[in-house]
């Protein structure tokens, strides 16, 4: 809590964009337990939240993979998509570009078309109910290597060519999972094919690697955003380039405390330095259900830790709009909605009942 109920409530209701969130990492603990039971996946504990304590990215990934493994059918993906968007909307989510990482499901025999169609079905239902809008980013799991990434791009491009259900919702590709022992350049072919097909590109880097690897994602993979980018400030030139070119970072401060163990507390995080250097450093949750988080809470956490007020937090929300991959008209509409909310929800002022800014409709 920020200590100001007014600010807390306004941050919760502020229409927010999220660019770094893994749909599997939004799975409710009750859903993890139910799907595990339905699909015969043995969990080592009855309450999955007992597993949600990590001391490193590697330790976290073991849990993330276990959670992923409970998704067995198209209906499971639909349920996940639906609950993910409904839960986001409850905390002021307006628009999300959400990762899904299907490598282990495909290796186990699931079809990409079923994963995408299932997610699309659930997301469409949640969109109709809440007004939130969600697009998808297919993330390659680096643990499965570059050839698997290339096969996934080819399969996605084929689904889009065939007009398969939900394929148009997938607007980009990225990669995630372990960084250690990996080279960005290994994935140049996969990202190149994706770019040639008109897909947008982002990359998890700098969570467990240095600034040279971050720069390599831009140079070798055509990455337009970097997910985390935590180590960037260690290199002045790379930082300055990201400032000059306004290449976005999708920063997840609480995740960096709880998953990467990169800082002892939020107050020690480099997020304020990133922003004061002029980096387009957006604010995101990463894996909210696996870290006891939601986007409203992350905004409140950050406001409290760094002593930031309403206008600074609205500026962060606007940077999310700036860095997203909506078309220019939809971006302008979302920017206008956020600016309207700046005035309508301003703590200390009387709420304007019926104001457009409070209407839970999407940006498109
Ligand atoms: N980093 C790498 N892989 C991940 C993450 C992350 O933050 N979240 C889910 N998979
Ligand atoms: Zn992530």
């Amino acid at each position: 809590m920020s200590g100001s109920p007014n600010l807390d409530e306004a941050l919760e209701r502020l229409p927010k964009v999220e660019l770094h969130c893994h749909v599997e990492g939004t799975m409710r603990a009750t859903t993890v337990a139910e799907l595990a039971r339905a699909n015969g996946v043995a969990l080592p504990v009855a309450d999955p939240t007992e597993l949600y304590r990590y001391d490193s990215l590697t330790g976290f990934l073991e849990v993330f993979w276990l959670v992923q493994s409970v998704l067995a059918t198209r209906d499971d993906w639909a349920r996940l998509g639906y609950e993910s968007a409904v839960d986001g909307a409850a905390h002021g989510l307006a628009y999300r570009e959400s990762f899904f990482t299907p490598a282990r499901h495909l290796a186990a025999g699931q079809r990409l078309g079923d994963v995408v169609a299932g997610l699309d079905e659930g997301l469409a239902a949640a969109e109709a109910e809440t007004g939130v809008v969600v697009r998808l980013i297919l993330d390659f799991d680096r643990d499965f290597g570059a050839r698997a990434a290339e096969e996934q791009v080819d399969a996605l491009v084929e689904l889009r060519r065939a007009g398969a259900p939900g394929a148009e919702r997938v607007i980009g590709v990225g990669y995630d999972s372990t960084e250690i022992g990996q080279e960005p350049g290994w994935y140049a072919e996969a990202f190149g094919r994706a770019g040639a097909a008109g897909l947008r590109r982002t990359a998890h880097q700098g969570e467990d690697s240095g600034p040279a690897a971050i720069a390599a994602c831009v140079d070798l993979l055509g990455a337009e955003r970097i997910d985390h980018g935590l180590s960037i400030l260690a290199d002045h030139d790379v930082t300055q380039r990201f400032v000059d070119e306004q290449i976005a970072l999708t920063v997840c401060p609480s995740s960096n405390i709880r998953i990467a163990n990169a800082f002892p507390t939020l107050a020690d995080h480099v997020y304020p330095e990133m922003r004061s250097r002029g980096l387009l450093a957006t604010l995101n949750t990463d894996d909210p259900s696996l870290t006891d988080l939601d986007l409203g809470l992350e905004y409140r956490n950050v406001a409290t830790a760094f002593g930031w007020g309403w206008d600074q937090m609205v500026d962060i929300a606007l940077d999310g709009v700036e860095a997203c991959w909506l078309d220019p008209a939809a971006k302008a509409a979302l920017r206008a909605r956020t600016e309207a909310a700046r005035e309508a929800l301003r703590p200390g002022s009387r709420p304007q009942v019926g104001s457009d800014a409070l209407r839970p409709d999407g940006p498109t």
Side-chain angles (χ1 to χ4, degrees), residues 20 22 99 176 204 207 227-228 252 286-287:
H20 186 161
H22 301 259
F99 296 118
D176 61 27
H204 276 62
E207 188 181 16
D227 304 309
H228 292 302
C252 310
D286 207 2
D287 296 285

Side-chain angles (χ1 to χ4, degrees), residues 110-181:
Q110 292 185 42
R111 286 182 309 201
L112 186 63
D114 289 335
V115 173
V116 168
L119 282 170
D120 180 61
E121 182 188 318
L123 290 169
E127 287 177 342
E129 198 173 302
T130 65
V132 74
V133 173
V134 181
R135 301 279 184 266
L136 293 168
I137 300 171
L138 193 167
D139 243 11
F140 314 131
D141 184 332
R142 275 172 288 198
D143 235 51
F144 285 74
R147 296 294 87 75
E150 289 155 25
E151 286 168 16
Q152 287 164 42
V153 174
D154 293 346
L156 176 60
V157 170
E158 176 55 25
L159 289 176
R160 286 167 60 95
R161 196 201 55 73
E168 284 298 313
R169 193 184 287 275
V170 187
I171 59 171
V173 300
Y175 66 25
D176 61 27
S177 191
T178 185
E179 297 185 15
I180 294 168

Side-chain angles (χ1 to χ4, degrees), residues 2-326:
S2 67
S4 158
N6 242 336
L7 178 60
D8 287 350
E9 157 122 30
L11 290 174
E12 180 80 359
R13 296 175 70 188
L14 177 68
K16 295 177 284 290
V17 169
E18 182 155 55
L19 306 177
H20 186 161
C21 181
H22 301 259
V23 71
E24 303 92 332
T26 70
M27 202 186 306
R28 299 173 184 167
T30 47
T31 300
V32 176
E34 281 176 39
L35 293 183
R37 205 174 311 120
N39 294 323
V41 176
L43 295 179
V45 290
D47 175 1
T49 61
E50 288 175 30
L51 303 171
Y52 301 167
R53 282 179 280 272
Y54 326 100
D55 53 16
S56 65
L57 176 58
T58 307
F60 164 79
L61 288 170
E62 295 289 334
V63 178
F64 186 81
W65 292 334
L66 181 63
V67 168
Q68 278 191 318
S69 72
V70 306
L71 293 157
T73 68
R74 177 186 155 147
D75 283 352
D76 297 342
W77 289 98
R79 174 176 176 174
L80 175 65
Y82 174 79
E83 292 177 354
S84 176
V86 164
D87 292 350
H91 298 284
L93 179 71
Y95 175 67
R96 178 186 278 158
E97 290 168 4
S98 181
F99 296 118
F100 70 111
T101 308
R104 75 193 44 252
H105 306 94
L106 302 179
Q110 292 185 42
R111 286 182 309 201
L112 186 63
D114 289 335
V115 173
V116 168
L119 282 170
D120 180 61
E121 182 188 318
L123 290 169
E127 287 177 342
E129 198 173 302
T130 65
V132 74
V133 173
V134 181
R135 301 279 184 266
L136 293 168
I137 300 171
L138 193 167
D139 243 11
F140 314 131
D141 184 332
R142 275 172 288 198
D143 235 51
F144 285 74
R147 296 294 87 75
E150 289 155 25
E151 286 168 16
Q152 287 164 42
V153 174
D154 293 346
L156 176 60
V157 170
E158 176 55 25
L159 289 176
R160 286 167 60 95
R161 196 201 55 73
E168 284 298 313
R169 193 184 287 275
V170 187
I171 59 171
V173 300
Y175 66 25
D176 61 27
S177 191
T178 185
E179 297 185 15
I180 294 168
Q182 295 277 336
E183 297 286 341
W186 296 346
Y187 296 85
E189 177 65 27
F191 277 78
R193 286 185 202 174
L199 291 158
R200 312 298 295 261
R201 289 168 282 182
T202 186
H204 276 62
Q205 204 71 56
E207 188 181 16
D208 237 353
S209 60
I214 293 174
C217 292
V218 178
D219 293 331
L220 305 180
L221 307 181
E224 304 164 69
R225 298 196 298 241
I226 297 294
D227 304 309
H228 292 302
L230 210 49
S231 62
I232 194 167
L233 295 170
D235 187 304
H236 177 271
D237 293 343
V238 176
T239 302
Q240 194 56 48
R241 177 182 180 192
F242 272 60
V243 172
D244 292 342
E245 299 177 25
Q246 287 291 281
I247 302 168
L249 303 178
T250 65
V251 185
C252 310
S254 290
S255 161
N256 298 149
I257 311 303
R258 294 172 200 172
I259 293 177
N261 266 282
F263 309 95
T265 72
L266 210 47
D268 304 304
H269 198 284
V270 291
Y271 191 53
E273 202 181 333
M274 287 173 152
R275 291 194 57 81
S276 65
R277 279 288 279 111
L279 288 163
L280 186 57
T282 64
L283 183 58
N284 310 272
T285 61
D286 207 2
D287 296 285
S289 289
L290 307 186
T291 51
D292 200 18
L293 195 63
D294 62 65
L295 192 57
L297 180 56
E298 186 65 338
Y299 270 63
R300 298 197 296 281
N301 284 344
V302 159
T304 303
F306 307 125
W308 289 343
W310 174 241
D311 281 307
Q312 281 161 296
M313 298 309 298
V314 175
D315 289 347
I316 289 172
L318 285 169
D319 280 353
V321 179
E322 182 60 31
C324 83
W325 291 337
L326 285 169

